[in-house]
Amino acid sequence: MKLKTLAILLALSSGALYAQTVDVKDAWARATVPGQKATGAFMKITAKDGAKLVSVTSPVAGVAEVHEMKMDGDVMKMRAVAGGLDLPAGKAVELKPGGYHVMLMDLKAPLQKDSTIPMTLTFKDAKGAETRTELSVPVSAMAPTPGMAHGEHKH
């Protein structure tokens, strides 16, 4: 009886994981200097079936938000993305300097180059089901080489 229950649970969890497949690649966070209270984190996110990135948390920051930078006339403006960042089915969405990015604010300590920070991404699918992806994000002064092993996670 126990084996049958285990098989059912595995089948159910496999279906749930298959229904919400999110791939995160090339994640990194920008290193800071002492006294700096904010920085950005960047990555490429692909949601197989489409989803929204609805929240980000990290114990290194008091506040973590998805932000967008865009030109408003001659002025570059940055603002939080209201309602979550759309991740169209099968299309990679790049969070990068000068565009969409994760803003880490109220930093508790400087982010040291060549260290890593934990980060949790929360996604919501079309049916409203939430899933979380845990990352270990490398800290760098500049974008790492694409395909770098750290900061990649498939969910």
Side-chain angles (χ1 to χ4, degrees):
M1 186 66 124
K2 287 183 182 179
L3 192 54
K4 188 174 181 180
T5 304
L6 179 59
I8 291 169
L9 288 173
L10 285 172
L12 289 173
S13 66
S14 296
L17 288 174
Y18 182 74
Q20 179 58 40
T21 305
V22 179
D23 187 31
V24 180
K25 290 187 176 181
D26 302 327
W28 67 286
R30 192 177 306 277
T32 62
V33 296
Q36 187 175 337
K37 290 295 182 186
T39 193
F42 315 97
M43 63 201 73
K44 291 179 187 134
I45 305 172
T46 306
K48 181 180 180 277
D49 300 317
K52 278 190 179 207
L53 173 58
V54 293
S55 72
V56 181
T57 60
S58 178
V60 303
V63 178
E65 297 176 338
V66 178
H67 278 207
E68 177 184 23
M69 287 185 79
K70 64 181 181 180
M71 292 300 291
D72 184 4
D74 292 337
V75 179
M76 179 68 81
K77 292 195 173 182
M78 183 173 61
R79 64 179 175 86
V81 176
L85 178 62
D86 285 320
L87 304 169
K91 183 179 180 209
V93 175
E94 188 172 6
L95 280 64
K96 60 185 180 180
Y100 290 112
H101 60 281
V102 173
M103 201 64 210
L104 299 169
M105 299 173 285
D106 191 21
L107 293 174
K108 297 180 170 130
L111 302 188
Q112 301 292 324
K113 182 178 178 279
D114 299 326
S115 65
T116 60
I117 60 169
M119 189 178 294
T120 302
L121 307 180
T122 302
F123 301 97
K124 190 178 282 190
D125 68 15
K127 296 177 184 173
E130 287 191 357
T131 57
R132 287 179 179 72
T133 298
E134 304 287 331
L135 301 175
S136 180
V137 179
V139 177
S140 178
M142 63 177 115
T145 306
M148 188 172 165
H150 291 290
E152 290 187 18
H153 189 274
K154 289 186 182 186
H155 181 80

PDB file of all heavy atoms in Angstrom, residues 6-28:
ATOM      1  N   LEU A   6       3.171   6.177  -2.682  1.00  0.00           N
ATOM      2  CA  LEU A   6       4.363   6.889  -3.140  1.00  0.00           C
ATOM      3  C   LEU A   6       4.300   7.118  -4.648  1.00  0.00           C
ATOM      4  O   LEU A   6       4.597   8.214  -5.129  1.00  0.00           O
ATOM      5  CB  LEU A   6       5.627   6.109  -2.764  1.00  0.00           C
ATOM      6  CG  LEU A   6       6.951   6.725  -3.197  1.00  0.00           C
ATOM      7  CD1 LEU A   6       7.125   8.122  -2.586  1.00  0.00           C
ATOM      8  CD2 LEU A   6       8.102   5.842  -2.805  1.00  0.00           C
ATOM      9  N   ALA A   7       3.881   6.103  -5.398  1.00  0.00           N
ATOM     10  CA  ALA A   7       3.778   6.240  -6.858  1.00  0.00           C
ATOM     11  C   ALA A   7       2.771   7.326  -7.234  1.00  0.00           C
ATOM     12  O   ALA A   7       2.998   8.113  -8.160  1.00  0.00           O
ATOM     13  CB  ALA A   7       3.390   4.904  -7.480  1.00  0.00           C
ATOM     14  N   ILE A   8       1.649   7.371  -6.521  1.00  0.00           N
ATOM     15  CA  ILE A   8       0.629   8.399  -6.790  1.00  0.00           C
ATOM     16  C   ILE A   8       1.185   9.785  -6.484  1.00  0.00           C
ATOM     17  O   ILE A   8       1.023  10.715  -7.274  1.00  0.00           O
ATOM     18  CB  ILE A   8      -0.660   8.114  -5.978  1.00  0.00           C
ATOM     19  CG1 ILE A   8      -1.332   6.856  -6.519  1.00  0.00           C
ATOM     20  CG2 ILE A   8      -1.613   9.305  -6.035  1.00  0.00           C
ATOM     21  CD1 ILE A   8      -2.448   6.324  -5.640  1.00  0.00           C
ATOM     22  N   LEU A   9       1.873   9.913  -5.352  1.00  0.00           N
ATOM     23  CA  LEU A   9       2.454  11.211  -4.990  1.00  0.00           C
ATOM     24  C   LEU A   9       3.491  11.650  -6.014  1.00  0.00           C
ATOM     25  O   LEU A   9       3.538  12.815  -6.402  1.00  0.00           O
ATOM     26  CB  LEU A   9       3.069  11.158  -3.589  1.00  0.00           C
ATOM     27  CG  LEU A   9       2.077  11.100  -2.441  1.00  0.00           C
ATOM     28  CD1 LEU A   9       2.810  10.875  -1.125  1.00  0.00           C
ATOM     29  CD2 LEU A   9       1.256  12.371  -2.376  1.00  0.00           C
ATOM     30  N   LEU A  10       4.327  10.733  -6.453  1.00  0.00           N
ATOM     31  CA  LEU A  10       5.323  11.073  -7.475  1.00  0.00           C
ATOM     32  C   LEU A  10       4.647  11.498  -8.769  1.00  0.00           C
ATOM     33  O   LEU A  10       5.063  12.459  -9.405  1.00  0.00           O
ATOM     34  CB  LEU A  10       6.256   9.889  -7.730  1.00  0.00           C
ATOM     35  CG  LEU A  10       7.302   9.634  -6.666  1.00  0.00           C
ATOM     36  CD1 LEU A  10       8.030   8.320  -6.945  1.00  0.00           C
ATOM     37  CD2 LEU A  10       8.282  10.779  -6.583  1.00  0.00           C
ATOM     38  N   ALA A  11       3.605  10.807  -9.172  1.00  0.00           N
ATOM     39  CA  ALA A  11       2.887  11.170 -10.401  1.00  0.00           C
ATOM     40  C   ALA A  11       2.265  12.556 -10.275  1.00  0.00           C
ATOM     41  O   ALA A  11       2.340  13.369 -11.200  1.00  0.00           O
ATOM     42  CB  ALA A  11       1.816  10.131 -10.706  1.00  0.00           C
ATOM     43  N   LEU A  12       1.675  12.828  -9.126  1.00  0.00           N
ATOM     44  CA  LEU A  12       1.057  14.143  -8.912  1.00  0.00           C
ATOM     45  C   LEU A  12       2.109  15.248  -8.919  1.00  0.00           C
ATOM     46  O   LEU A  12       1.924  16.277  -9.540  1.00  0.00           O
ATOM     47  CB  LEU A  12       0.284  14.159  -7.591  1.00  0.00           C
ATOM     48  CG  LEU A  12      -1.006  13.349  -7.566  1.00  0.00           C
ATOM     49  CD1 LEU A  12      -1.564  13.319  -6.156  1.00  0.00           C
ATOM     50  CD2 LEU A  12      -2.023  13.935  -8.526  1.00  0.00           C
ATOM     51  N   SER A  13       3.223  15.023  -8.224  1.00  0.00           N
ATOM     52  CA  SER A  13       4.247  16.081  -8.164  1.00  0.00           C
ATOM     53  C   SER A  13       4.912  16.265  -9.522  1.00  0.00           C
ATOM     54  O   SER A  13       5.235  17.374  -9.906  1.00  0.00           O
ATOM     55  CB  SER A  13       5.292  15.779  -7.081  1.00  0.00           C
ATOM     56  OG  SER A  13       6.042  14.631  -7.417  1.00  0.00           O
ATOM     57  N   SER A  14       5.077  15.188 -10.284  1.00  0.00           N
ATOM     58  CA  SER A  14       5.658  15.319 -11.618  1.00  0.00           C
ATOM     59  C   SER A  14       4.765  16.171 -12.506  1.00  0.00           C
ATOM     60  O   SER A  14       5.236  17.020 -13.244  1.00  0.00           O
ATOM     61  CB  SER A  14       5.845  13.942 -12.262  1.00  0.00           C
ATOM     62  OG  SER A  14       6.775  13.199 -11.531  1.00  0.00           O
ATOM     63  N   GLY A  15       3.442  15.951 -12.412  1.00  0.00           N
ATOM     64  CA  GLY A  15       2.510  16.749 -13.191  1.00  0.00           C
ATOM     65  C   GLY A  15       2.563  18.205 -12.795  1.00  0.00           C
ATOM     66  O   GLY A  15       2.552  19.095 -13.636  1.00  0.00           O
ATOM     67  N   ALA A  16       2.663  18.483 -11.499  1.00  0.00           N
ATOM     68  CA  ALA A  16       2.716  19.864 -11.013  1.00  0.00           C
ATOM     69  C   ALA A  16       3.992  20.544 -11.482  1.00  0.00           C
ATOM     70  O   ALA A  16       3.977  21.688 -11.897  1.00  0.00           O
ATOM     71  CB  ALA A  16       2.615  19.893  -9.490  1.00  0.00           C
ATOM     72  N   LEU A  17       5.100  19.808 -11.439  1.00  0.00           N
ATOM     73  CA  LEU A  17       6.360  20.397 -11.886  1.00  0.00           C
ATOM     74  C   LEU A  17       6.343  20.617 -13.394  1.00  0.00           C
ATOM     75  O   LEU A  17       6.826  21.610 -13.883  1.00  0.00           O
ATOM     76  CB  LEU A  17       7.541  19.504 -11.498  1.00  0.00           C
ATOM     77  CG  LEU A  17       7.886  19.469 -10.022  1.00  0.00           C
ATOM     78  CD1 LEU A  17       8.965  18.429  -9.758  1.00  0.00           C
ATOM     79  CD2 LEU A  17       8.333  20.832  -9.533  1.00  0.00           C
ATOM     80  N   TYR A  18       5.764  19.683 -14.128  1.00  0.00           N
ATOM     81  CA  TYR A  18       5.707  19.821 -15.574  1.00  0.00           C
ATOM     82  C   TYR A  18       4.835  21.001 -15.974  1.00  0.00           C
ATOM     83  O   TYR A  18       5.131  21.716 -16.913  1.00  0.00           O
ATOM     84  CB  TYR A  18       5.172  18.533 -16.201  1.00  0.00           C
ATOM     85  CG  TYR A  18       5.125  18.598 -17.701  1.00  0.00           C
ATOM     86  CD1 TYR A  18       6.288  18.519 -18.463  1.00  0.00           C
ATOM     87  CD2 TYR A  18       3.916  18.792 -18.375  1.00  0.00           C
ATOM     88  CE1 TYR A  18       6.240  18.600 -19.844  1.00  0.00           C
ATOM     89  CE2 TYR A  18       3.863  18.881 -19.748  1.00  0.00           C
ATOM     90  CZ  TYR A  18       5.032  18.773 -20.483  1.00  0.00           C
ATOM     91  OH  TYR A  18       4.983  18.868 -21.855  1.00  0.00           O
ATOM     92  N   ALA A  19       3.760  21.229 -15.233  1.00  0.00           N
ATOM     93  CA  ALA A  19       2.837  22.314 -15.561  1.00  0.00           C
ATOM     94  C   ALA A  19       3.475  23.684 -15.376  1.00  0.00           C
ATOM     95  O   ALA A  19       3.074  24.639 -16.012  1.00  0.00           O
ATOM     96  CB  ALA A  19       1.584  22.205 -14.698  1.00  0.00           C
ATOM     97  N   GLN A  20       4.452  23.809 -14.507  1.00  0.00           N
ATOM     98  CA  GLN A  20       5.087  25.104 -14.254  1.00  0.00           C
ATOM     99  C   GLN A  20       6.600  24.951 -14.376  1.00  0.00           C
ATOM    100  O   GLN A  20       7.298  24.836 -13.381  1.00  0.00           O
ATOM    101  CB  GLN A  20       4.695  25.610 -12.858  1.00  0.00           C
ATOM    102  CG  GLN A  20       5.317  26.944 -12.494  1.00  0.00           C
ATOM    103  CD  GLN A  20       4.958  28.037 -13.481  1.00  0.00           C
ATOM    104  OE1 GLN A  20       3.851  28.138 -13.947  1.00  0.00           O
ATOM    105  NE2 GLN A  20       5.912  28.872 -13.797  1.00  0.00           N
ATOM    106  N   THR A  21       7.112  24.903 -15.598  1.00  0.00           N
ATOM    107  CA  THR A  21       8.540  24.754 -15.813  1.00  0.00           C
ATOM    108  C   THR A  21       9.135  26.129 -16.088  1.00  0.00           C
ATOM    109  O   THR A  21       8.800  26.766 -17.075  1.00  0.00           O
ATOM    110  CB  THR A  21       8.808  23.808 -16.998  1.00  0.00           C
ATOM    111  OG1 THR A  21       8.129  22.579 -16.741  1.00  0.00           O
ATOM    112  CG2 THR A  21      10.279  23.532 -17.146  1.00  0.00           C
ATOM    113  N   VAL A  22      10.004  26.564 -15.172  1.00  0.00           N
ATOM    114  CA  VAL A  22      10.673  27.850 -15.321  1.00  0.00           C
ATOM    115  C   VAL A  22      12.175  27.609 -15.285  1.00  0.00           C
ATOM    116  O   VAL A  22      12.676  26.919 -14.405  1.00  0.00           O
ATOM    117  CB  VAL A  22      10.262  28.828 -14.194  1.00  0.00           C
ATOM    118  CG1 VAL A  22      10.996  30.151 -14.346  1.00  0.00           C
ATOM    119  CG2 VAL A  22       8.758  29.054 -14.211  1.00  0.00           C
ATOM    120  N   ASP A  23      12.863  28.177 -16.244  1.00  0.00           N
ATOM    121  CA  ASP A  23      14.307  28.018 -16.364  1.00  0.00           C
ATOM    122  C   ASP A  23      14.966  29.378 -16.117  1.00  0.00           C
ATOM    123  O   ASP A  23      14.598  30.361 -16.770  1.00  0.00           O
ATOM    124  CB  ASP A  23      14.624  27.494 -17.770  1.00  0.00           C
ATOM    125  CG  ASP A  23      16.074  27.124 -17.963  1.00  0.00           C
ATOM    126  OD1 ASP A  23      16.722  26.709 -16.985  1.00  0.00           O
ATOM    127  OD2 ASP A  23      16.563  27.251 -19.101  1.00  0.00           O
ATOM    128  N   VAL A  24      15.903  29.432 -15.177  1.00  0.00           N
ATOM    129  CA  VAL A  24      16.629  30.665 -14.876  1.00  0.00           C
ATOM    130  C   VAL A  24      18.097  30.437 -15.218  1.00  0.00           C
ATOM    131  O   VAL A  24      18.707  29.478 -14.745  1.00  0.00           O
ATOM    132  CB  VAL A  24      16.491  31.049 -13.380  1.00  0.00           C
ATOM    133  CG1 VAL A  24      17.258  32.328 -13.092  1.00  0.00           C
ATOM    134  CG2 VAL A  24      15.024  31.201 -12.999  1.00  0.00           C
ATOM    135  N   LYS A  25      18.661  31.308 -16.056  1.00  0.00           N
ATOM    136  CA  LYS A  25      20.055  31.174 -16.495  1.00  0.00           C
ATOM    137  C   LYS A  25      20.805  32.481 -16.312  1.00  0.00           C
ATOM    138  O   LYS A  25      20.226  33.560 -16.319  1.00  0.00           O
ATOM    139  CB  LYS A  25      20.123  30.786 -17.970  1.00  0.00           C
ATOM    140  CG  LYS A  25      19.668  29.399 -18.261  1.00  0.00           C
ATOM    141  CD  LYS A  25      19.940  29.049 -19.708  1.00  0.00           C
ATOM    142  CE  LYS A  25      19.565  27.595 -19.948  1.00  0.00           C
ATOM    143  NZ  LYS A  25      19.829  27.190 -21.305  1.00  0.00           N
ATOM    144  N   ASP A  26      22.131  32.349 -16.206  1.00  0.00           N
ATOM    145  CA  ASP A  26      23.058  33.485 -16.205  1.00  0.00           C
ATOM    146  C   ASP A  26      22.727  34.538 -15.148  1.00  0.00           C
ATOM    147  O   ASP A  26      22.903  35.738 -15.377  1.00  0.00           O
ATOM    148  CB  ASP A  26      23.126  34.133 -17.597  1.00  0.00           C
ATOM    149  CG  ASP A  26      23.561  33.153 -18.680  1.00  0.00           C
ATOM    150  OD1 ASP A  26      24.365  32.255 -18.360  1.00  0.00           O
ATOM    151  OD2 ASP A  26      23.094  33.266 -19.821  1.00  0.00           O
ATOM    152  N   ALA A  27      22.248  34.102 -13.979  1.00  0.00           N
ATOM    153  CA  ALA A  27      21.924  35.046 -12.901  1.00  0.00           C
ATOM    154  C   ALA A  27      23.210  35.602 -12.294  1.00  0.00           C
ATOM    155  O   ALA A  27      24.208  34.891 -12.161  1.00  0.00           O
ATOM    156  CB  ALA A  27      21.092  34.345 -11.829  1.00  0.00           C
ATOM    157  N   TRP A  28      23.175  36.893 -11.954  1.00  0.00           N
ATOM    158  CA  TRP A  28      24.292  37.526 -11.247  1.00  0.00           C
ATOM    159  C   TRP A  28      23.792  38.799 -10.566  1.00  0.00           C
ATOM    160  O   TRP A  28      22.762  39.347 -10.941  1.00  0.00           O
ATOM    161  CB  TRP A  28      25.452  37.832 -12.192  1.00  0.00           C
ATOM    162  CG  TRP A  28      25.194  38.889 -13.233  1.00  0.00           C
ATOM    163  CD1 TRP A  28      24.431  38.761 -14.359  1.00  0.00           C
ATOM    164  CD2 TRP A  28      25.680  40.238 -13.245  1.00  0.00           C
ATOM    165  NE1 TRP A  28      24.416  39.943 -15.064  1.00  0.00           N
ATOM    166  CE2 TRP A  28      25.178  40.870 -14.414  1.00  0.00           C
ATOM    167  CE3 TRP A  28      26.498  40.966 -12.380  1.00  0.00           C
ATOM    168  CZ2 TRP A  28      25.465  42.194 -14.731  1.00  0.00           C
ATOM    169  CZ3 TRP A  28      26.785  42.290 -12.711  1.00  0.00           C
ATOM    170  CH2 TRP A  28      26.277  42.891 -13.871  1.00  0.00           C
TER     171      TRP A  28
END
